[in-house]
Amino acid sequence: MILYLTDFRSYMKLFLSILCLFSLPLHAQNQVKVDSLMQLVQQDKVHDTIKVKAYNDLGIEYAPSNPVLARKYINNALHIAKSIKRERGIAGAYNCLGIVDYYQKEYESALLHFNKAYEINVQLEHLWGQAAALNQIGAVQNILNDQNAAIRSFKKAGEIFQTTKDSVAWAKSLQNIGVSYKRMRYHEKSIEYYLKALQLYEKMNNPEGIANSYINIVAILNIQQEHTKAIEYLDRALPITKETGNKRLLGEVYRKMGYAHNGLKDYDEALAYFQKSLDLNKNKNTKKVIVSVLSNIGVTYYNMKLYTEALAYQKEALQNYSVSNLGKALTLNATAKTLIKLNQIDEASDYAYEALEIATTLGKLKGQKEAYHTLAIIAEQQGENKEALHLYQKFQKFNDSVLSLENKQEVQKLRTIYEIEKSDLQIVSQQKDI
């Protein structure tokens, strides 16, 4: 993803592309590129402006894997840029530091650095730099669940990209707005913006953008259980994705094909697509996606009542988790349910309790709810009726809490949308007055 950069505009495009691909796993640095950049910064005759860019490049290369080294190189860039009063170089360094912060999940610090970059670009009246920084600010605001602010940032960025006639960046801003609405579970509005981005990509004849738009739309359709419609979009995306040669995108199309066919109970088709996705992702060692595919294969075999096969894939998925998150808790719980079907009750109990422990530590109501339900089934099968009743009551309590939280989120979503649309109307009114 990271390319050797020769000018600041390329830097900004790089940052934008990173932020539009948040779901990708972190990459390892390209050693050939690192060696080339190291040779560049060690040459006395190289101009300081070039060294600033090279040090920032080095920082980006190490950002996912070695944040200490990444910050060291970027701070070198920042020091040189300040000494030669190269304001755009300073803005670039702050952007790079923000990316390192993002990879380390230090979101408040990332926001601070991206805002510094934005302020410098405002002072320089550098429109493209302002828009790129706004896209990054919006991305962090999304992570921090401030969708109202995120949508404003993305919209402002998109307006600037539109005036600079950068259609690709404008389309990515529209996609980011779609992501914000998706995070609020306002799916109709999300699809609206994905379709707007799709129209731009089609006008530009941009295959990867078109394929990405289809994939984004399908993610919403699968949530809505509109699996037949999802497959229609995926059938359009498949030949385009193959044409691009982008294996990441192709693996994602196969994965979503598998999910849609599983939803339609076309289990053999689902397994075939999941296997294709798994083969592609194993070659690229993308752990996060591999875990998802393995878990989905386990679910498919469970639905087919092939519990031994389901268990094998669920356990393989658990071996590939690098962190204890809600996904792991849910996979542990699914494994426990499979073990119940195989009459391996004691082992099932161990998995369910581990799922409960992770979900409780993370404060994830859904994970706790599912674990208590599984533990209640286990207690019932063991003839511990009093304990089963107690666990079912716990399950009901957490189920009520989940429903209550969803209702609160729905109210907050509507409030946020109202505020955004009210603000948009005010802007239109002001523009008319002007």
Side-chain angles (χ1 to χ4, degrees), residues 326 330 355-356 358-373 394-395 397-406 408-409:
L326 177 60
L330 293 175
L356 179 60
I358 292 172
T360 303
T361 301
L362 296 173
K364 298 295 184 181
L365 297 178
K366 180 181 178 181
Q368 293 175 76
K369 177 193 79 168
E370 296 294 334
Y372 276 122
H373 185 256
K394 284 269 191 181
F395 159 71
K397 175 186 172 183
F398 276 94
N399 190 49
D400 292 343
S401 297
V402 169
L403 291 173
S404 175
L405 179 62
E406 287 176 351
K408 287 179 182 176
Q409 289 172 339

Side-chain angles (χ1 to χ4, degrees), residues 42 52 120 128 213 241 279:
Q42 290 168 0
V52 169
I120 292 170
W128 209 99
S213 297
T241 310
D279 292 342

Side-chain angles (χ1 to χ4, degrees), residues 105-247:
K105 299 183 179 180
E106 298 172 7
Y107 300 121
E108 296 292 347
S109 181
L111 203 56
L112 180 67
H113 283 126
F114 290 143
N115 271 305
K116 283 185 177 181
Y118 173 69
E119 289 164 6
I120 292 170
N121 282 305
V122 170
Q123 291 169 8
L124 295 172
E125 297 183 354
H126 181 47
L127 291 177
W128 209 99
Q130 293 172 39
L134 283 166
N135 252 357
Q136 297 177 113
I137 290 166
V140 177
Q141 289 166 333
N142 253 348
I143 296 290
L144 295 173
N145 287 321
D146 190 355
Q147 274 71 49
N148 194 330
I151 289 170
R152 293 185 195 283
S153 296
F154 293 139
K155 282 188 174 182
K156 192 172 179 181
E159 289 166 5
I160 297 172
F161 285 133
Q162 193 175 2
T163 61
T164 60
K165 300 191 185 305
D166 190 333
S167 296
V168 172
W170 179 22
K172 288 179 179 177
S173 293
L174 291 170
Q175 281 182 315
N176 284 336
I177 295 171
V179 170
S180 298
Y181 280 118
K182 180 187 175 186
R183 291 177 71 89
M184 289 194 296
R185 297 187 302 165
Y186 193 4
H187 298 141
E188 292 78 10
K189 203 76 175 173
S190 179
I191 286 180
E192 177 188 327
Y193 277 90
Y194 288 151
L195 287 171
K196 286 180 180 179
L198 175 61
Q199 289 172 349
L200 276 178
Y201 285 127
E202 287 175 338
K203 284 181 181 178
M204 292 181 281
N205 193 25
N206 184 317
E208 285 203 5
I210 293 169
N212 256 318
S213 297
Y214 284 145
I215 289 169
N216 286 331
I217 292 166
V218 165
I220 301 295
L221 292 173
N222 277 334
I223 290 170
Q224 296 176 321
Q225 305 295 309
E226 295 278 355
H227 300 305
T228 301
K229 194 177 290 185
I231 290 170
E232 290 174 10
Y233 275 100
L234 290 167
D235 281 336
R236 296 182 213 169
L238 192 54
I240 298 171
T241 310
K242 286 180 178 178
E243 184 184 329
T244 66
N246 187 324
K247 291 184 178 179

Side-chain angles (χ1 to χ4, degrees), residues 35-65:
D35 292 342
S36 175
L37 291 167
M38 286 300 297
Q39 289 176 10
L40 194 62
V41 297
Q42 290 168 0
Q43 293 177 25
D44 294 333
K45 293 182 180 180
V46 172
H47 195 277
D48 282 343
T49 304
I50 302 299
K51 283 190 178 182
V52 169
K53 294 166 186 172
Y55 272 126
N56 276 334
D57 277 354
L58 279 167
I60 290 299
E61 285 296 323
Y62 282 101
S65 59

Side-chain angles (χ1 to χ4, degrees), residues 5-22:
L5 305 178
T6 56
D7 58 59
F8 186 75
R9 183 177 174 82
S10 297
Y11 253 135
M12 302 308 292
K13 286 188 177 181
L14 162 66
F15 301 145
L16 180 67
S17 67
I18 287 174
L19 286 163
C20 288
L21 298 173
F22 276 128

